[in-house]
Every structure is written in structure tokens, then in C-alpha cells.
């Protein structure tokens, strides 16, 4: 949809307002030094920019090139040469900033008046260092036409003109003495500053501005480095948040499954109890029926016996006597009963079985979840794998390092090696060549067949000659194996580790900014131990100790193995 005329005017007015605000804000952020031409040492007038990026007054640069003896034009600051004189165009934005600065500086400073006016003094246009006076436009005219006056040094009008003039010789301060770091005049170089290293003020100013530019470049690089680090930290936080959310979701899934299992087991238990109740009721019904039948039989016998006890039919009594004296055939009810203890052994046995089942499911679920989490984490950190090699210059004289720097074993005798500051002489230890002081790294070490080893990372400044404790406080973040099956994490207080199986390949992962050192069993994809919340301030090096040979019992080497990315 096309803009209306009023919309177009409004948009243009907004852009102009924003440009004016930018010019105003920019001049307040820029110092006077940043708005000075390095040729005339005054605030830019019609500033132009060279291809190399430096700014000058247009007239100053044009005159500099016109008077230059060089074959090609070159930048007065960095001396970059241009085969063809660049076409100069005024930097309008910089001009606006410079003009605004001039107005602001003029309003901030008290007005300098002409020293030559006899009546009402007019505003001075320039100050002359040779005359020691400030002149208005009219009284400045002789300096433009009289040959002798044309050689005088003119600057923008200043009140404190004496600061620009040598108090001893009353001459313009045109030189800078590098030996005494002070401004001097031409006569000073023939007296107190004779044979001193003096240069024109303009030259010293240019060099210092060049140094300022270099410093500014360094500051800008520092800013970029910190912005990059800020981005990395935010990225790490985002990764940690996603990982935490996934772990929370996995935990909810596991415990939801457990709750469902409990509900199913509860339903099964209730069903068993109901079935047992029904069976008991069926059994009772059968027994009641039998008892009622037997009671009927016994009642009839009781009636018959009652009648016989009063009969006068003696012959009939004698005939049935034998059958009537024997008891009717009935069941022995002494051992027969119905179990009424519904909360007894049946329930206890069911609950015990349920608890055992739940424990097994919980252990398996947690183990599976942890294994899956560690597996996922190992896949994620594989992108930080680094190629670590051993540094033979740090190896203890008993250690034998392979030519490719990937294997290390402990020999039976000490080698004749120079005792340099970087070499370990107290422990059979060697460091990796690679150091790091930022970011993340991952490397893996094969420890298969060994009964003793120490792995981790250490500070660069650890004590390599005397006995020390393998603790973070002393610059060590390590995990060790002793006596074939005793695993420990060397924290400030030693932490015994219970592992499900013997480790064959150890993964070491370090996040410098996070203060994290983690150890993994690569083969079983399980977590061994993590040092968290650490604070690193210097370079870290991979740390390896294959342990003593122990008569061949611990002769297997430590091998830095390549990190194979999981599918």
C-alpha cells in the first residue's frame, strides 16, 4: 500500500530527528582527541576519510599531498601508499558531529577577545604563538598578506596563550623533547635540551594517536573476546537447561511407569485376595452342606434311639441292637477349618513379592535411565574431543613414552635424562603436550589389564619435584585405581567408588568455564565421578600415571585412544 503524503513527511521528520539525536549523542560520547585532525591538531573542518580509514580536514590533507615529495600519495598517519590520489568526499556524519562539538565547546568556553581592538573588543578568530596575541578577523589580515607574518604559527583562539609559549625564550612551543617528555621551543634545543631527541609536536601527536589507535584496536578485540565468551556462557546455560529439562522429563516418565506398575500390582493383589475369599466361601458352602446333612442323619438316629429306649418290643430291639449301637459314618471335623486371617501370611507374602518386584523394577529403571542419560551426554560431548599426545620432556625417568606420544609404560630402570624444571622426579607421571585455559575438551584413555593408574587434569604450576597430595586444593583433579579393584576420586577427602564392572577405557571431560571435570566408563557408558563447582585460573594439562611395574603385574601401558563417535 502506498504511503500518503502526510505519512511520508512524518517518516522523513522522524529520520531527521533520529539523525540529529544521533549527532548530539555521538558528540557527547566522543572526546575532543577523537575529533582532531592529526595535521592541524584542531577539530575537523569538512572531514574526509582516506581508504585506510583515517580522517583529516579536507584542506589539510589536500595541502599535505600537494607539498609532499613522495611519488605516490600516502596516509599521514599509517603511511599507507595510494597509487592514485583518492577522490575525497566530505564525511557528512562526522562533519555534523564535529560542528556540534565546536558549538558545544564554544558555548562551554568563555569567548576569547581580540587583543588588538582599541575600542569594543571583537571576538578573536586566531591566536598567534609568535606574537603572543589573539586577533579578530580584521586584525588577522596582515598575517595573511605580510610575508614575515605569514610564517607565524596560528592556532584557534585560546585564553591561556602563555601555555603555548616558552616562558624562558618567549617562543612558540613547536617541539617535543622525548628525553624529558616536555614541550620545548627552537631555542631550548640549543640550551638545556641540546642533543636531546626532539621532534615536531605534530609528529609526536601522530605517533601517540597511532598508539591510541592500536590501543583502541586491542580494546575492541577484548570486547569481542568477552562478547564471544558471553555467548559461550549463555550457550552453555541453554544446553544445561535443555539437559535438565530432558532429565526431568525422563524422571517423570520413569516414576510414572513405576506408579503404573504399583497400581497394576495392587490390582493383582486385590484380585488374588478376592479369589481366595471366593474360594474360602465356596469351601465353606460345601462344608456347611455336609455338616447339615450329617446333622440331619444324627438327629434321625437320636430320635430312633429315644424311641427304642422306651419300646416294649423286645424281639425287635434285639434284632436292631447291633446296628443302632454303632455311630453313623461321619467326617472327622477336628482338623477342618476356614482361614480367617486375611491380613496374615497371604498378604505379607504378596506384599513382600510386590516390594521385591518394585525394587527390581526401580533399580532397573533408574539404571537404564542413568545409562541412557550418560550415553546421551557422551554423544553430546564427543564434539569436544581433542588429540592429546604425551610430553616426554615432563616424563619421570622410569617412564617409557612411545614415539607417537600415545603410549606410556613404567620400565624397570631409571633412564639418564636431564632434570629439567618441567620433569617429574617424585612420581611416575607424564603430562600431555596440549594445554587449555578455556572451552571444553574430551579425551579417552585405555586402562585395560592394569592394576594401578591415575588419570585427570592438573594446573600448570603443580609441584613436580616433591611429595604432594592429589587434591583440587593442590591443583589435581584425578581418579585412581589401586590394588586392581580399589577405585577412588581424589577430592579434598578421598571418595571410594563402587563400579558395576572393571573399567577398560576412561573418558575425561573438562568444561573450563563451568568448573567441571567428569570421568566416564566409555565401554559401559556409565558415569564414574565428577568434580563440580571448581574455579580454574591457569592453564590445565592432561595428567597420566601408569603406576609402578610391580614385577610385570602392572606392565600394561596407558594408551590414549581415539574418540569414536557413537551412532
Amino acid at each position: 500500500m502506498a504511503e500518503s503524503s502526510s505519512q511520508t513527511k512524518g517518516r522523513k521528520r522522524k529520520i531527521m530527528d533520529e539523525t540529529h539525536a544521533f549527532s548530539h549523542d555521538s558528540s557527547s560520547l566522543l572526546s575532543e582527541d577523537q575529533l582532531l585532525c592529526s595535521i592541524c591538531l584542531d577539530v575537523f573542518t569538512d572531514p574526509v576519510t582516506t581508504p585506510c580509514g583515517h580522517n583529516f580536514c579536507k584542506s589539510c590533507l589536500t595541502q599535505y599531498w600537494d607539498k609532499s615529495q613522495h611519488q605516490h600519495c600516502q596516509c599521514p598517519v599509517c603511511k599507507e601508499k595510494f597509487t592514485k590520489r583518492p577522490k575525497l568526499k566530505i564525511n557528512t556524519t562526522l562533519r555534523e558531529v564535529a560542528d556540534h562539538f565546536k558549538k558545544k565547546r564554544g558555548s562551554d568556553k568563555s569567548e576569547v577577545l581580540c587583543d588588538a581592538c582599541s575600542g569594543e573588543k571583537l571576538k578573536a578568530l586566531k591566536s598567534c604563538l609568535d606574537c603572543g596575541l589573539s586577533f579578530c578577523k580584521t586584525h588577522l589580515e596582515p598575517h595573511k598578506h605580510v610575508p614575515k607574518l605569514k610564517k607565524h604559527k596560528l592556532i584557534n583562539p585560546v585564553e591561556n596563550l602563555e601555555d603555548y609559549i616558552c616562558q624562558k625564550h618567549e617562543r612558540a612551543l613547536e617541539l617535543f623533547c622525548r628525553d624529558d617528555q616536555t614541550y620545548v621551543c627552537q631555542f631550548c634545543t640549543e640550551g638545556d635540551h641540546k642533543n636531546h631527541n626532539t621532534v615536531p609536536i605534530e609528529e609526536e601527536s601522530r605517533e601517540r594517536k597511532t598508539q591510541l589507535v592500536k590501543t583502541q584496536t586491542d580494546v575492541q578485540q577484548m570486547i569481542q573476546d568477552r562478547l564471544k565468551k558471553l555467548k559461550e556462557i549463555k550457550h552453555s546455560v541453554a544446553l544445561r537447561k535443555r539437559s535438565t529439562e530432558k532429565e526431568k522429563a525422563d524422571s517423570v516418565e520413569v516414576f510414572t511407569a513405576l506408579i503404573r506398575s504399583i497400581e497394576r500390582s495392587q490390582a493383582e493383589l486385590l484380585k488374588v485376595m478376592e479369589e481366595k475369599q471366593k474360594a474360602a466361601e465356596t469351601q465353606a458352602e460345601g462344608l456347611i452342606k455336609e455338616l447339615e446333612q450329617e446333622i440331619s442323619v444324627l438327629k434321625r438316629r437320636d430320635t430312633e434311639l429315644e424311641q427304642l429306649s422306651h419300646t416294649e418290643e423286645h424281639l425287635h430291639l434285639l434284632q436292631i441292637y447291633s446296628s443302632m449301637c454303632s455311630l453313623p459314618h461321619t467326617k472327622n471335623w477336628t482338623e477342618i477349618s476356614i482361614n480367617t486371617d486375611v491380613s496374615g501370611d497371604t498378604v505379607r507374602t504378596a506384599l513382600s513379592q510386590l516390594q521385591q518386584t518394585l525394587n527390581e523394577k526401580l533399580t532397573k529403571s533408574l539404571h537404564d535411565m542413568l545409562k541412557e542419560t550418560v550415553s546421551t551426554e557422551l554423544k553430546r560431548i564427543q564434539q569436544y574431543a581433542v588429540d592429546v599426545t604425551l610430553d616426554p620432556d615432563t616424563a619421570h625417568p622410569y617412564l617409557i613414552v612411545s614415539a607417537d606420544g600415545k603410549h606410556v609404560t613404567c620400565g624397570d630402570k631409571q633412564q639418564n635424562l636431564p632434570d629439567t624444571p618441567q620433569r617429574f622426579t617424585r612420581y611416575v607421571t607424564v603430562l600431555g603436550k596440549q594445554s587449555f585455559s578455556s572451552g571444553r575438551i574430551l579425551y579417552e584413555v585405555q586402562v585395560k589389564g592394569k592394576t594401578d593408574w591415575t588419570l585427570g587434569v592438573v594446573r600448570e604450576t603443580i609441584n613436580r619435584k616433591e611429595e604432594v597430595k592429589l587434591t583440587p586444593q593442590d591443583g589435581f583433579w584425578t581418579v585412581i585405581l589401586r590394588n586392581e579393584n580399589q577405585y577412588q576420586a581424589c577430592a579434598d577427602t578421598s571418595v571410594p567408588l563402587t563400579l558395576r564392572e572393571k573399567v577398560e577405557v576412561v573418558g575425561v571431560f573438562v568444561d573450563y568455564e563451568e568448573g567441571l571435570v567428569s570421568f566416564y566408563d566409555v565401554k559401559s557408558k556409565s558415569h564414574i565421578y565428577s568434580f563440580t563447582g571448581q574455579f580454574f585460573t591457569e592453564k590445565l594439562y592432561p595428567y597420566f600415571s601408569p603406576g609402578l611395574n610391580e614385577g610385570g603385574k602392572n606392565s600394561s601401558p596407558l594408551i590414549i585412544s581415539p574418540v569414536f563417535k557413537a551412532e
Side-chain angles (χ1 to χ4, degrees):
M1 184 181 291
E3 285 185 332
S4 66
S5 176
S6 60
Q7 287 176 324
T8 302
K9 290 179 180 178
R11 182 167 56 83
K12 288 182 177 180
R13 188 181 302 110
K14 181 179 179 183
I15 294 172
M16 291 175 67
D17 291 343
E18 290 176 348
T19 303
H20 175 73
F22 168 76
S23 299
H24 176 77
D25 294 341
S26 298
S27 64
S28 64
L29 292 174
L30 294 173
S31 66
E32 182 174 0
D33 287 343
Q34 293 172 293
L35 296 172
L36 294 182
C37 170
S38 58
I39 298 177
C40 68
L41 303 179
D42 199 358
V43 178
F44 292 124
T45 299
D46 292 336
V48 293
T49 305
T50 59
C52 57
H54 295 107
N55 301 308
F56 308 92
C57 298
K58 184 177 182 180
S59 59
C60 293
L61 185 59
T62 301
Q63 291 176 17
Y64 176 83
W65 282 344
D66 290 341
K67 296 178 182 179
S68 175
Q69 301 299 321
H70 297 91
Q71 182 179 358
H72 301 292
C73 295
Q74 65 179 18
C75 174
V77 174
C78 66
K79 305 303 180 184
E80 181 176 339
K81 296 180 179 179
F82 312 113
T83 54
K84 187 177 180 182
R85 177 179 286 203
K87 188 176 181 181
L88 300 176
K89 292 185 179 181
I90 296 175
N91 187 329
T92 56
T93 300
L94 186 57
R95 180 175 63 182
E96 289 179 8
V97 175
D99 290 346
H100 181 79
F101 187 87
K102 288 178 182 178
K103 293 178 182 178
K104 186 174 183 297
R105 184 179 64 176
S107 62
D108 292 342
K109 294 181 179 179
S110 59
E111 193 173 78
V112 179
L113 301 178
C114 177
D115 293 320
C117 289
S118 57
E120 181 182 353
K121 291 185 177 295
L122 301 177
K123 179 181 177 181
L125 186 63
K126 291 288 183 179
S127 293
C128 177
L129 296 180
D130 294 278
C131 298
L133 298 171
S134 297
F135 301 103
C136 64
K137 183 177 181 181
T138 301
H139 291 110
L140 186 64
E141 284 299 318
H143 282 77
K144 296 181 179 180
H145 306 295
V146 178
K148 186 176 181 181
L149 296 180
K150 288 175 68 175
K151 297 179 181 180
H152 285 192
K153 180 72 173 180
L154 297 175
I155 63 173
N156 285 331
V158 293
E159 282 188 333
N160 54 334
L161 192 56
E162 63 275 5
D163 292 343
Y164 295 80
I165 300 173
C166 177
Q167 299 301 308
K168 184 175 181 180
H169 302 109
E170 296 184 350
R171 300 282 294 184
L173 295 171
E174 299 179 298
L175 303 171
F176 182 78
C177 178
R178 289 178 172 172
D179 293 339
D180 296 332
Q181 292 292 299
T182 186
Y183 304 104
V184 297
C185 70
Q186 190 65 46
F187 288 159
C188 291
T189 61
E190 300 173 3
D192 296 340
H193 297 271
K194 189 176 182 179
N195 298 326
H196 283 195
N197 182 13
T198 57
V199 294
I201 287 179
E202 291 83 356
E203 181 180 340
E204 180 67 18
S205 176
R206 283 196 298 271
E207 291 193 13
R208 293 199 177 190
K209 284 188 176 182
T210 301
Q211 185 58 44
L212 286 174
V213 170
K214 291 180 180 178
T215 303
Q216 183 184 17
T217 302
D218 293 339
V219 170
Q220 290 174 347
Q221 184 61 47
M222 291 173 68
I223 292 172
Q224 293 303 316
D225 292 343
R226 279 149 183 78
L227 288 174
K228 181 180 178 182
K229 185 58 63 180
L230 179 64
K231 184 177 180 181
E232 289 179 1
I233 292 173
K234 288 183 178 180
H235 181 63
S236 298
V237 172
L239 287 178
R240 177 58 60 87
K241 183 177 181 180
R242 286 200 294 271
S243 177
T244 301
E245 292 299 326
K246 186 179 184 306
E247 289 177 7
K248 286 167 62 178
D250 292 343
S251 299
V252 170
E253 183 178 349
V254 168
F255 285 103
T256 300
L258 288 174
I259 291 172
R260 290 173 181 168
S261 179
I262 291 172
E263 291 173 346
R264 285 196 300 271
S265 299
Q266 182 185 33
E268 292 172 1
L269 176 60
L270 293 174
K271 183 178 180 181
V272 169
M273 293 174 67
E274 289 176 356
E275 290 176 349
K276 288 184 179 293
Q277 175 64 26
K278 288 182 179 179
E281 291 175 355
T282 301
Q283 180 190 13
E285 289 175 357
L287 294 175
I288 289 171
K289 187 174 182 180
E290 286 186 51
L291 282 170
E292 288 176 342
Q293 290 175 349
E294 289 189 2
I295 290 171
S296 297
V297 172
L298 289 172
K299 282 183 177 180
R300 285 198 300 270
R301 176 60 59 87
D302 180 63
T303 302
E304 290 173 351
L305 289 172
E306 176 66 23
Q307 292 174 350
L308 286 174
S309 65
H310 297 93
T311 185
E312 294 295 333
E313 297 178 6
H314 304 294
L315 179 60
H316 178 67
L317 174 64
L318 293 174
Q319 289 175 341
I320 64 174
Y321 174 78
S322 297
S323 61
M324 294 299 291
C325 282
S326 62
L327 295 175
H329 179 72
T330 58
K331 183 182 291 187
N332 182 6
W333 295 92
T334 306
E335 302 297 329
I336 296 176
S337 63
I338 301 297
N339 186 5
T340 59
D341 185 12
V342 295
S343 61
D345 292 341
T346 302
V347 176
R348 281 194 292 271
T349 301
L351 288 175
S352 177
Q353 292 175 348
L354 175 60
Q355 184 177 9
Q356 182 179 354
T357 301
L358 290 178
N359 285 339
E360 290 174 355
K361 288 183 178 180
L362 177 61
T363 302
K364 184 177 185 302
S365 297
L366 290 177
H367 178 262
D368 291 346
M369 182 182 72
L370 183 60
K371 185 174 181 179
E372 178 63 26
T373 301
V374 173
S375 178
T376 302
E377 181 68 8
L378 283 172
K379 289 180 182 179
R380 183 185 71 82
I381 65 178
Q382 282 174 345
Q383 62 181 303
Y384 303 112
V386 295
D387 183 17
V388 174
T389 53
L390 302 169
D391 184 359
D393 292 337
T394 66
H396 187 280
Y398 266 95
L399 293 183
I400 302 171
V401 178
S402 64
D404 63 358
K406 296 294 184 180
H407 297 219
V408 59
T409 56
C410 185
D412 295 322
K413 62 180 181 178
Q414 183 166 311
Q415 303 173 78
N416 185 18
L417 298 173
D419 185 9
T420 57
Q422 63 266 35
R423 189 178 303 283
F424 288 89
T425 55
R426 180 66 181 82
Y427 296 106
V428 285
T429 299
V430 61
L431 298 183
K433 284 185 178 180
Q434 295 73 21
S435 66
F436 57 100
S437 55
S438 64
R440 306 174 181 88
I441 68 160
L442 169 71
Y443 62 93
E444 296 177 358
V445 184
Q446 180 178 313
V447 295
K448 184 177 181 180
K450 297 194 65 60
T451 61
D452 187 301
W453 50 258
T454 303
L455 292 173
V457 293
V458 297
R459 284 199 303 253
E460 181 179 26
T461 57
I462 58 170
N463 191 327
R464 308 185 186 200
K465 305 297 183 182
E466 301 174 359
E467 185 173 351
V468 293
K469 292 182 179 180
L470 301 181
T471 63
Q473 186 176 357
D474 291 307
F476 295 80
W477 291 269
T478 58
V479 165
I480 65 174
L481 170 65
R482 298 291 184 265
N483 302 321
E484 194 170 353
N485 57 12
Q486 295 177 3
Y487 296 92
Q488 294 179 25
C490 299
D492 293 331
T493 300
S494 182
V495 180
L497 303 174
T498 302
L499 306 183
R500 297 174 65 89
E501 55 189 74
K502 192 171 179 62
V503 182
E504 294 185 358
V505 180
V506 178
V508 183
F509 173 71
V510 183
D511 188 328
Y512 194 96
E513 284 74 21
E514 191 73 17
L516 172 69
V517 182
S518 288
F519 298 84
Y520 299 92
D521 181 343
V522 176
K523 184 178 179 182
S524 67
K525 297 180 180 178
S526 59
H527 176 253
I528 297 176
Y529 186 80
S530 286
F531 294 90
T532 60
Q534 305 300 303
F535 184 67
F536 304 129
T537 58
E538 57 183 88
K539 290 181 180 178
L540 297 180
Y541 284 83
Y543 180 89
F544 308 84
S545 175
L548 297 174
N549 190 292
E550 296 180 2
K553 185 179 179 181
N554 188 41
S555 60
S556 297
L558 287 179
I559 304 174
I560 301 174
S561 54
V563 177
F564 295 105
K565 293 188 177 180
E567 298 296 333

